[in-house]
Amino acid sequence: RKRKTSGNCHDEIIPSLFVERVNLRSSVRCTTEELLSLNRREEQAATEILERTSTILGGIRSVLTKSLPYLFMTTECISLLDLVLCISTYADEHGEGHVFPR
């Protein structure tokens, strides 16, 4: 592979192991083939993680979408039971003047 240089690097000082040399204001930034390879592998791993996450979240969404009507009905039932319990507790504690079955 050919080395890329900015034209200002001191080729005699920097070993040929380093590729893609770039002069910055007060330093020279270089990398190696091994680091480039590791960076590519890291990018591929991140992409695969994002794809798997998307697939898993899509599956969870699908399951929840199918279950939503049942969850909604369950919360309505619990809410109704809570209302009946509140009314019966109030009637039990403040029984005078209220009509309720015993």
Side-chain angles (χ1 to χ4, degrees), residues 89-101:
T89 302
Y90 178 82
D92 190 41
E93 291 175 357
H94 306 90
E96 292 183 29
H98 298 282
V99 178
F100 58 93

Side-chain angles (χ1 to χ4, degrees), residues 45-89:
T47 301
E48 186 176 343
I49 288 169
L50 289 174
E51 289 172 357
R52 288 184 182 191
T53 301
S54 178
T55 301
I56 290 169
L57 290 177
I60 291 171
R61 180 178 168 213
S62 175
V63 168
L64 288 178
T65 302
K66 291 176 186 174
S67 302
L68 274 178
Y70 303 109
L71 293 171
F72 184 71
M73 287 188 306
T74 304
T75 57
E76 281 186 348
C77 290
I78 291 171
S79 170
L80 185 59
L81 286 172
D82 183 49
L83 176 66
V84 170
L85 179 64
C86 287
I87 292 171
S88 64
T89 302

Side-chain angles (χ1 to χ4, degrees), residues 8-44:
N8 297 339
C9 288
H10 302 287
D11 288 336
E12 66 278 354
I13 297 174
I14 301 173
S16 63
L17 165 71
F18 295 102
V19 295
E20 295 187 18
R21 304 170 193 191
V22 178
N23 273 348
L24 303 174
R25 290 183 184 190
S26 61
S27 62
V28 177
R29 182 178 63 197
C30 302
T31 189
T32 65
E33 290 291 335
E34 182 181 6
L35 288 175
L36 289 173
S37 174
L38 289 172
N39 189 41
R40 275 187 235 106
R41 286 178 47 204
E42 182 269 333
E43 289 171 356
Q44 290 171 347

